[in-house]
Amino acid sequence: VYRELDFDILFGRANYPCVHPDRMTPEDTAADCMYELRMEQCEHADRCPYLIQKEIVQGSNVRSLNYSYFLVSSWPRKKPTTYGFYDECHILPDETLEFVGCTIRDGERMRWRLAEFPSCYDSTRESATKCMAWLEKAVGKISLEIAGMKTDDAMDKAKKSRGERLRSKLSQTYMAMQRNSDDWYVRSGQRVLDYMGNKTPGLQIKPLTARHHFPKLFLGIFPRTVLMSATVGNVSDLADELGIEHYDFDHVPNQWPPESRPVHVLDVPPLGHSAKPEAFQIQAQKIAKVLNELPQDWSGVVHVTSWKATELLRSRLEFFSVPSSRLFIPTRGRGTHHQMDEWNNAKLKRPGMIVISPSMGQGVDLLEERICLIAKTPFPYCANGSFEQERMMYSNRFYRWQTAADLEQRAGRTRRGRDEDYDHDFIVNGYVGIFDGSFKRMGMAKSCSKDFTDSLVFE
């Protein structure tokens, strides 16, 4: 859409090839630049696709940047436009937390000869102080290391570039903790990070809320700031999480009336951690009934929240007479783009295929699919001692908002703003349904956007 509006777009550096003849590998991108923060000093800067496009965008009055690039670059703040539009603003809490926080693995610590990680297995003020002290020393150590590297050696240039990125990351976390030392999740020591099911050494620091950091990162830059999203959920909940105290909210009415885009909420038992096997059997029976009653040439998606659930649900649906040849599960661990390629190929083999997946809830357009089923209310998984658990305990209100925003995203994958995506008089063009009683039992509609709740049909 930004191309259609003639915006000048600058993608992240990894989207542009490196043209330096001494680059480490032929696949290197501008993100691997040996000059890092001094890219303009490269002797081949005049041919760099990234720098060429950057110069165009810097001189533009209508430009588009992704959030990661906006956060790490200083020039957008030095050359602001009249308006700053933050699209898909429902992701801003997580964007803020990821940018401010940091995760360091043991291999990285040893590569830069940093001190042993302090032992911190709770999020107390004492643990935060220990981690801050480690960060301060690490920044100093990395600075000394890169200062002693040769400027005419390609290997040293590449390592120096990585070091400057790491130093910048640790510095921004340290400064954020200095500004506000409360409300942090901190873990550090020999058994902190997960790797292939095992606990490994590392350090993880992350804010429990974006409210102390979002205003500094995103507000006060433009004379006018506009946050936009089709799945903004309960607006006051989002504003509270982002630390926005004063705002005007404009609700743009959906061009499609609620009756043309119903979301059916089925009478199914809650499917939480304590749900009994019979509850899942009832769910599968109701999903199978819907699939078998809808046109058999309609393809669709069933959203689950884990890869384990894909196999379990497929087995139950087969038991309730959904043909196994109709059910498809993409390959785990290959990335959404690869999984979508697999799915598109599978659809060609048989009309009316149904994909069961935990990875197609956001960022995909299911334009041919007519069926969209949510098999599980997507509450974030909260293992004991995890960041997700502490964040939920910090703000159950935002935990519910986060779940509602995710659910709205999943429900909207097959309705992409085309006339044929919506129902008309006596013509049903699709089916969207929620098959988890937790949605109703937990009162999740209160955390959803009005546009979404208007479309709910309880059955």
Side-chain angles (χ1 to χ4, degrees):
V1 66
Y2 296 107
R3 291 188 187 279
E4 295 172 3
L5 295 173
D6 293 327
F7 272 70
D8 291 303
I9 304 174
L10 185 62
F11 297 103
R13 292 185 301 172
N15 293 277
Y16 302 90
C18 177
V19 296
H20 198 293
D22 294 332
R23 61 189 181 275
M24 296 296 291
T25 70
E27 293 76 27
D28 275 7
T29 68
D32 306 301
C33 180
M34 294 181 287
Y35 289 84
E36 185 56 21
L37 303 178
R38 299 174 297 279
M39 295 179 70
E40 291 78 5
Q41 297 179 12
C42 174
E43 55 270 33
H44 301 278
D46 60 326
R47 298 192 298 113
C48 175
Y50 164 75
L51 290 179
I52 293 171
Q53 184 63 19
K54 178 182 176 182
E55 185 176 359
I56 293 172
V57 174
Q58 283 181 326
S60 173
N61 290 324
V62 284
R63 54 183 182 246
S64 174
L65 311 172
N66 64 40
Y67 284 127
S68 297
Y69 186 92
F70 175 78
L71 287 168
V72 301
S73 302
S74 59
W75 68 262
R77 290 165 174 75
K78 296 176 181 177
K79 300 180 179 181
T81 55
T82 304
Y83 288 89
F85 292 92
Y86 298 143
D87 198 9
E88 303 291 355
C89 69
H90 61 277
I91 68 172
L92 284 173
D94 285 335
E95 289 285 339
T96 301
L97 268 54
E98 289 299 325
F99 179 76
V100 173
C102 69
T103 299
I104 308 298
R105 296 190 176 276
D106 204 38
E108 207 162 25
R109 180 193 67 79
M110 292 188 291
R111 185 179 302 118
W112 293 98
R113 293 183 288 183
L114 305 177
E116 292 284 344
F117 296 120
S119 293
C120 303
Y121 290 90
D122 54 29
S123 298
T124 61
R125 176 68 68 85
E126 181 183 1
S127 293
T129 301
K130 288 181 180 179
C131 289
M132 285 180 66
W134 187 92
L135 288 173
E136 186 177 21
K137 291 178 181 178
V139 169
K141 177 67 174 175
I142 296 171
S143 297
L144 288 174
E145 285 282 323
I146 61 180
M149 293 178 181
K150 299 176 181 178
T151 58
D152 57 349
D153 184 274
M155 292 288 289
D156 269 9
K157 283 182 181 178
K159 185 177 181 182
K160 188 174 184 178
S161 172
R162 293 193 295 271
E164 288 176 333
R165 287 197 295 269
L166 178 60
R167 179 179 61 181
S168 175
K169 183 65 175 172
L170 299 184
S171 294
Q172 69 196 20
T173 302
Y174 175 75
M175 289 187 292
M177 295 185 78
Q178 275 194 320
R179 288 193 301 268
N180 190 295
S181 59
D182 296 321
D183 309 328
W184 289 86
Y185 173 86
V186 293
R187 292 292 187 275
S188 176
Q190 293 301 304
R191 294 177 54 80
V192 169
L193 304 180
D194 291 312
Y195 180 72
M196 299 182 68
N198 298 314
K199 290 292 186 180
T200 61
L203 175 142
Q204 185 177 24
I205 304 173
K206 209 171 179 180
L208 290 169
T209 176
R211 66 171 58 97
H212 305 306
H213 313 284
F214 174 83
K216 181 173 181 59
L217 296 174
F218 288 96
L219 301 182
I221 301 168
F222 307 96
R224 297 288 186 273
T225 302
V226 180
L227 279 65
M228 309 182 300
S229 177
T231 54
V232 72
N234 185 307
V235 177
S236 63
D237 290 350
L238 176 60
D240 179 69
E241 169 61 17
L242 295 178
I244 301 174
E245 297 181 1
H246 307 289
Y247 60 90
D248 295 320
F249 174 63
D250 290 323
H251 173 252
V252 180
N254 195 315
Q255 68 185 101
W256 306 99
E259 58 271 18
S260 72
R261 47 183 173 84
V263 176
H264 302 272
V265 183
L266 279 294
D267 185 16
V268 175
L271 300 175
H273 294 300
S274 60
K276 297 181 179 179
E278 307 89 78
F280 292 95
Q281 288 294 101
I282 294 172
Q283 178 208 46
Q285 186 176 22
K286 298 211 172 189
I287 292 177
K289 184 175 185 295
V290 167
L291 292 178
N292 290 331
E293 289 179 350
L294 290 171
Q296 294 301 290
D297 60 346
W298 280 8
S299 62
V301 59
V302 180
H303 297 292
V304 293
T305 54
S306 70
W307 287 101
K308 180 180 179 181
T310 60
E311 297 289 352
L312 293 172
L313 182 56
R314 177 166 65 178
S315 297
R316 296 187 189 106
L317 293 178
E318 290 174 355
F319 178 80
F320 288 109
S321 303
V322 178
S324 59
S325 59
R326 193 183 179 192
L327 303 173
F328 176 76
I329 297 175
T331 304
R332 179 180 183 178
R334 297 296 300 274
T336 304
H337 289 300
H338 182 84
Q339 291 164 5
M340 283 299 296
D341 288 340
E342 286 185 327
W343 166 234
N344 289 329
N345 289 330
K347 286 189 298 184
L348 299 175
K349 299 177 181 178
R350 185 190 191 283
M353 290 286 286
I354 302 295
V355 59
I356 307 174
S357 171
S359 63
M360 295 183 183
Q362 296 191 42
V364 298
D365 291 322
L366 302 178
L367 301 177
E368 299 173 355
E369 291 74 4
R370 299 291 88 200
I371 302 170
C372 181
L373 310 182
I374 298 170
K376 186 82 165 59
T377 304
F379 293 102
Y381 176 65
C382 297
N384 288 334
S386 66
F387 167 76
E388 289 75 16
Q389 185 195 42
E390 288 198 16
R391 194 180 187 191
M392 176 189 67
M393 294 175 66
Y394 181 87
S395 176
N396 185 262
R397 177 185 177 189
F398 180 70
Y399 175 79
R400 292 164 62 86
W401 178 92
Q402 191 179 22
T403 303
D406 191 357
L407 186 142
E408 288 191 42
Q409 281 284 322
R410 293 168 186 244
R413 292 305 96 201
T414 57
R415 290 174 177 160
R416 310 305 296 162
R418 305 173 305 168
D419 185 67
E420 61 266 32
D421 295 336
Y422 303 88
D423 297 348
H424 300 281
D425 293 338
F426 308 109
I427 300 176
V428 176
N429 284 328
Y431 184 94
V432 178
I434 300 173
F435 290 77
D436 180 2
S438 297
F439 179 81
K440 184 177 179 180
R441 173 76 65 85
M442 301 290 290
M444 290 304 302
K446 296 177 182 177
S447 300
C448 294
S449 62
K450 183 179 185 302
D451 184 71
F452 186 76
T453 57
D454 286 347
S455 70
L456 297 177
V457 179
F458 292 89
E459 300 179 359

